[in-house]
Amino acid sequence: MNILVKNYCVMVEFPDVSGAEHLEMLQLRDELAKVESQLTEEEKGLLANADGRLVEQAREFYEELSKFVDLTEKRKFEEITPQRWWWYLDVLALLPNLRKQELTSGVV
């Protein structure tokens, strides 16, 4: 299994750890986006499940992240587009009952 996928899957299981670790998780997700087309179907499935977990717990992740980074400022400074949705946890945290299918299908 791809080590990036494996590490990301573990990281999304712990929304209550340090926001600094969550920042690393978002950077790891950026790396995964670069190689996503090269992942096996199994790895893509694991990634989708991990993404769903991140979305479902966006509020918890954002609460810790906000202690370390202003996501709005980071997005502006680095020109992060909505295609990198994981950098929008502050926005996702405000949405009621967002389902992972909506996110991954591009409905958001």
PDB file of all heavy atoms in Angstrom, residues 4 9 14 17 20 26 30 44 67 74 82-83 86 92 97 102 108:
ATOM      1  N   LEU A   4       1.806   7.102   1.676  1.00  0.00           N
ATOM      2  CA  LEU A   4       1.072   8.357   1.853  1.00  0.00           C
ATOM      3  C   LEU A   4      -0.387   8.083   2.209  1.00  0.00           C
ATOM      4  O   LEU A   4      -0.949   8.705   3.112  1.00  0.00           O
ATOM      5  CB  LEU A   4       1.156   9.222   0.594  1.00  0.00           C
ATOM      6  CG  LEU A   4       2.537   9.696   0.153  1.00  0.00           C
ATOM      7  CD1 LEU A   4       2.443  10.455  -1.167  1.00  0.00           C
ATOM      8  CD2 LEU A   4       3.190  10.547   1.215  1.00  0.00           C
ATOM      9  N   CYS A   9      -4.677   7.924   6.138  1.00  0.00           N
ATOM     10  CA  CYS A   9      -5.785   7.166   6.740  1.00  0.00           C
ATOM     11  C   CYS A   9      -5.672   7.151   8.268  1.00  0.00           C
ATOM     12  O   CYS A   9      -6.686   7.242   8.973  1.00  0.00           O
ATOM     13  CB  CYS A   9      -5.822   5.745   6.197  1.00  0.00           C
ATOM     14  SG  CYS A   9      -6.405   5.625   4.492  1.00  0.00           S
ATOM     15  N   PHE A  14      -7.811  10.882  14.101  1.00  0.00           N
ATOM     16  CA  PHE A  14      -7.530  11.563  15.361  1.00  0.00           C
ATOM     17  C   PHE A  14      -7.756  13.065  15.276  1.00  0.00           C
ATOM     18  O   PHE A  14      -6.798  13.849  15.243  1.00  0.00           O
ATOM     19  CB  PHE A  14      -6.090  11.258  15.802  1.00  0.00           C
ATOM     20  CG  PHE A  14      -5.835   9.796  15.987  1.00  0.00           C
ATOM     21  CD1 PHE A  14      -5.239   9.044  14.993  1.00  0.00           C
ATOM     22  CD2 PHE A  14      -6.235   9.171  17.164  1.00  0.00           C
ATOM     23  CE1 PHE A  14      -5.019   7.685  15.160  1.00  0.00           C
ATOM     24  CE2 PHE A  14      -6.026   7.812  17.340  1.00  0.00           C
ATOM     25  CZ  PHE A  14      -5.422   7.064  16.342  1.00  0.00           C
ATOM     26  N   VAL A  17      -6.008  15.599  18.080  1.00  0.00           N
ATOM     27  CA  VAL A  17      -4.576  15.849  18.286  1.00  0.00           C
ATOM     28  C   VAL A  17      -4.259  17.290  17.894  1.00  0.00           C
ATOM     29  O   VAL A  17      -5.115  18.033  17.427  1.00  0.00           O
ATOM     30  CB  VAL A  17      -3.682  14.847  17.515  1.00  0.00           C
ATOM     31  CG1 VAL A  17      -3.946  13.427  17.972  1.00  0.00           C
ATOM     32  CG2 VAL A  17      -3.857  14.980  16.018  1.00  0.00           C
ATOM     33  N   ALA A  20      -1.053  21.392  14.776  1.00  0.00           N
ATOM     34  CA  ALA A  20       0.192  21.302  14.010  1.00  0.00           C
ATOM     35  C   ALA A  20       0.228  19.984  13.237  1.00  0.00           C
ATOM     36  O   ALA A  20       0.666  19.945  12.080  1.00  0.00           O
ATOM     37  CB  ALA A  20       1.399  21.429  14.936  1.00  0.00           C
ATOM     38  N   LEU A  26      -2.896  18.028   6.141  1.00  0.00           N
ATOM     39  CA  LEU A  26      -3.365  18.729   4.947  1.00  0.00           C
ATOM     40  C   LEU A  26      -2.259  18.808   3.895  1.00  0.00           C
ATOM     41  O   LEU A  26      -2.524  18.685   2.697  1.00  0.00           O
ATOM     42  CB  LEU A  26      -3.863  20.128   5.314  1.00  0.00           C
ATOM     43  CG  LEU A  26      -5.061  20.168   6.270  1.00  0.00           C
ATOM     44  CD1 LEU A  26      -5.466  21.605   6.550  1.00  0.00           C
ATOM     45  CD2 LEU A  26      -6.233  19.364   5.740  1.00  0.00           C
ATOM     46  N   ASP A  30      -2.164  17.184   0.070  1.00  0.00           N
ATOM     47  CA  ASP A  30      -1.678  17.826  -1.155  1.00  0.00           C
ATOM     48  C   ASP A  30      -0.785  16.863  -1.936  1.00  0.00           C
ATOM     49  O   ASP A  30      -0.893  16.765  -3.162  1.00  0.00           O
ATOM     50  CB  ASP A  30      -0.869  19.086  -0.824  1.00  0.00           C
ATOM     51  CG  ASP A  30      -1.728  20.308  -0.582  1.00  0.00           C
ATOM     52  OD1 ASP A  30      -2.898  20.331  -1.014  1.00  0.00           O
ATOM     53  OD2 ASP A  30      -1.207  21.263   0.039  1.00  0.00           O
ATOM     54  N   LYS A  44      -7.390   4.170  -3.846  1.00  0.00           N
ATOM     55  CA  LYS A  44      -8.346   5.247  -4.109  1.00  0.00           C
ATOM     56  C   LYS A  44      -9.567   5.104  -3.201  1.00  0.00           C
ATOM     57  O   LYS A  44     -10.107   6.093  -2.710  1.00  0.00           O
ATOM     58  CB  LYS A  44      -8.779   5.257  -5.572  1.00  0.00           C
ATOM     59  CG  LYS A  44      -7.696   5.761  -6.500  1.00  0.00           C
ATOM     60  CD  LYS A  44      -8.144   5.700  -7.946  1.00  0.00           C
ATOM     61  CE  LYS A  44      -7.027   6.110  -8.880  1.00  0.00           C
ATOM     62  NZ  LYS A  44      -7.430   6.030 -10.295  1.00  0.00           N
ATOM     63  N   LYS A  67      -5.854  26.977  15.874  1.00  0.00           N
ATOM     64  CA  LYS A  67      -4.892  27.411  16.890  1.00  0.00           C
ATOM     65  C   LYS A  67      -3.500  27.620  16.283  1.00  0.00           C
ATOM     66  O   LYS A  67      -2.637  28.219  16.916  1.00  0.00           O
ATOM     67  CB  LYS A  67      -4.815  26.379  18.017  1.00  0.00           C
ATOM     68  CG  LYS A  67      -6.121  26.220  18.770  1.00  0.00           C
ATOM     69  CD  LYS A  67      -6.036  25.093  19.773  1.00  0.00           C
ATOM     70  CE  LYS A  67      -7.395  24.875  20.439  1.00  0.00           C
ATOM     71  NZ  LYS A  67      -7.367  23.708  21.347  1.00  0.00           N
ATOM     72  N   LYS A  74      -4.101  31.637   4.692  1.00  0.00           N
ATOM     73  CA  LYS A  74      -3.231  30.669   3.999  1.00  0.00           C
ATOM     74  C   LYS A  74      -3.719  30.450   2.574  1.00  0.00           C
ATOM     75  O   LYS A  74      -2.911  30.407   1.634  1.00  0.00           O
ATOM     76  CB  LYS A  74      -3.183  29.343   4.758  1.00  0.00           C
ATOM     77  CG  LYS A  74      -2.231  28.342   4.124  1.00  0.00           C
ATOM     78  CD  LYS A  74      -1.894  27.233   5.057  1.00  0.00           C
ATOM     79  CE  LYS A  74      -0.916  26.248   4.479  1.00  0.00           C
ATOM     80  NZ  LYS A  74       0.421  26.780   4.280  1.00  0.00           N
ATOM     81  N   PRO A  82     -10.488  25.839  -4.659  1.00  0.00           N
ATOM     82  CA  PRO A  82     -11.442  24.889  -4.066  1.00  0.00           C
ATOM     83  C   PRO A  82     -11.214  23.434  -4.465  1.00  0.00           C
ATOM     84  O   PRO A  82     -11.695  22.535  -3.789  1.00  0.00           O
ATOM     85  CB  PRO A  82     -12.800  25.377  -4.568  1.00  0.00           C
ATOM     86  CG  PRO A  82     -12.592  26.832  -4.813  1.00  0.00           C
ATOM     87  CD  PRO A  82     -11.175  26.944  -5.322  1.00  0.00           C
ATOM     88  N   GLN A  83     -10.472  23.176  -5.543  1.00  0.00           N
ATOM     89  CA  GLN A  83     -10.163  21.796  -5.908  1.00  0.00           C
ATOM     90  C   GLN A  83      -9.362  21.124  -4.800  1.00  0.00           C
ATOM     91  O   GLN A  83      -9.418  19.910  -4.651  1.00  0.00           O
ATOM     92  CB  GLN A  83      -9.381  21.727  -7.221  1.00  0.00           C
ATOM     93  CG  GLN A  83     -10.230  21.975  -8.442  1.00  0.00           C
ATOM     94  CD  GLN A  83     -10.600  23.451  -8.616  1.00  0.00           C
ATOM     95  OE1 GLN A  83      -9.939  24.342  -8.096  1.00  0.00           O
ATOM     96  NE2 GLN A  83     -11.663  23.696  -9.346  1.00  0.00           N
ATOM     97  N   TRP A  86      -9.637  20.249   1.020  1.00  0.00           N
ATOM     98  CA  TRP A  86      -9.197  19.953   2.387  1.00  0.00           C
ATOM     99  C   TRP A  86      -8.650  21.189   3.087  1.00  0.00           C
ATOM    100  O   TRP A  86      -8.598  21.226   4.312  1.00  0.00           O
ATOM    101  CB  TRP A  86      -8.184  18.815   2.410  1.00  0.00           C
ATOM    102  CG  TRP A  86      -7.110  18.933   1.379  1.00  0.00           C
ATOM    103  CD1 TRP A  86      -5.876  19.505   1.531  1.00  0.00           C
ATOM    104  CD2 TRP A  86      -7.179  18.470   0.034  1.00  0.00           C
ATOM    105  NE1 TRP A  86      -5.172  19.440   0.346  1.00  0.00           N
ATOM    106  CE2 TRP A  86      -5.951  18.798  -0.597  1.00  0.00           C
ATOM    107  CE3 TRP A  86      -8.154  17.807  -0.715  1.00  0.00           C
ATOM    108  CZ2 TRP A  86      -5.679  18.499  -1.915  1.00  0.00           C
ATOM    109  CZ3 TRP A  86      -7.866  17.506  -2.033  1.00  0.00           C
ATOM    110  CH2 TRP A  86      -6.652  17.842  -2.622  1.00  0.00           C
ATOM    111  N   LEU A  92     -16.196  24.064   5.505  1.00  0.00           N
ATOM    112  CA  LEU A  92     -16.913  22.788   5.653  1.00  0.00           C
ATOM    113  C   LEU A  92     -17.500  22.632   7.048  1.00  0.00           C
ATOM    114  O   LEU A  92     -18.564  22.043   7.212  1.00  0.00           O
ATOM    115  CB  LEU A  92     -15.980  21.616   5.349  1.00  0.00           C
ATOM    116  CG  LEU A  92     -15.482  21.519   3.914  1.00  0.00           C
ATOM    117  CD1 LEU A  92     -14.445  20.415   3.786  1.00  0.00           C
ATOM    118  CD2 LEU A  92     -16.629  21.294   2.955  1.00  0.00           C
ATOM    119  N   ASN A  97     -24.385  18.757   8.085  1.00  0.00           N
ATOM    120  CA  ASN A  97     -24.490  17.372   7.607  1.00  0.00           C
ATOM    121  C   ASN A  97     -24.000  17.161   6.181  1.00  0.00           C
ATOM    122  O   ASN A  97     -24.672  16.530   5.376  1.00  0.00           O
ATOM    123  CB  ASN A  97     -25.937  16.878   7.732  1.00  0.00           C
ATOM    124  CG  ASN A  97     -26.419  16.941   9.153  1.00  0.00           C
ATOM    125  OD1 ASN A  97     -25.681  16.646  10.079  1.00  0.00           O
ATOM    126  ND2 ASN A  97     -27.664  17.346   9.341  1.00  0.00           N
ATOM    127  N   GLU A 102     -21.270  14.282  -1.701  1.00  0.00           N
ATOM    128  CA  GLU A 102     -21.466  15.605  -2.239  1.00  0.00           C
ATOM    129  C   GLU A 102     -20.131  16.269  -2.501  1.00  0.00           C
ATOM    130  O   GLU A 102     -19.935  16.931  -3.504  1.00  0.00           O
ATOM    131  CB  GLU A 102     -22.300  16.463  -1.293  1.00  0.00           C
ATOM    132  CG  GLU A 102     -23.725  15.986  -1.162  1.00  0.00           C
ATOM    133  CD  GLU A 102     -24.485  16.676  -0.058  1.00  0.00           C
ATOM    134  OE1 GLU A 102     -23.862  17.240   0.850  1.00  0.00           O
ATOM    135  OE2 GLU A 102     -25.722  16.676  -0.126  1.00  0.00           O
ATOM    136  N   VAL A 108     -20.300  20.558  -3.977  1.00  0.00           N
ATOM    137  CA  VAL A 108     -20.040  21.686  -3.087  1.00  0.00           C
ATOM    138  C   VAL A 108     -19.433  22.822  -3.853  1.00  0.00           C
ATOM    139  O   VAL A 108     -18.596  22.696  -4.658  1.00  0.00           O
ATOM    140  CB  VAL A 108     -19.114  21.254  -1.927  1.00  0.00           C
ATOM    141  CG1 VAL A 108     -18.743  22.450  -1.070  1.00  0.00           C
ATOM    142  CG2 VAL A 108     -19.783  20.211  -1.114  1.00  0.00           C
TER     143      VAL A 108
END
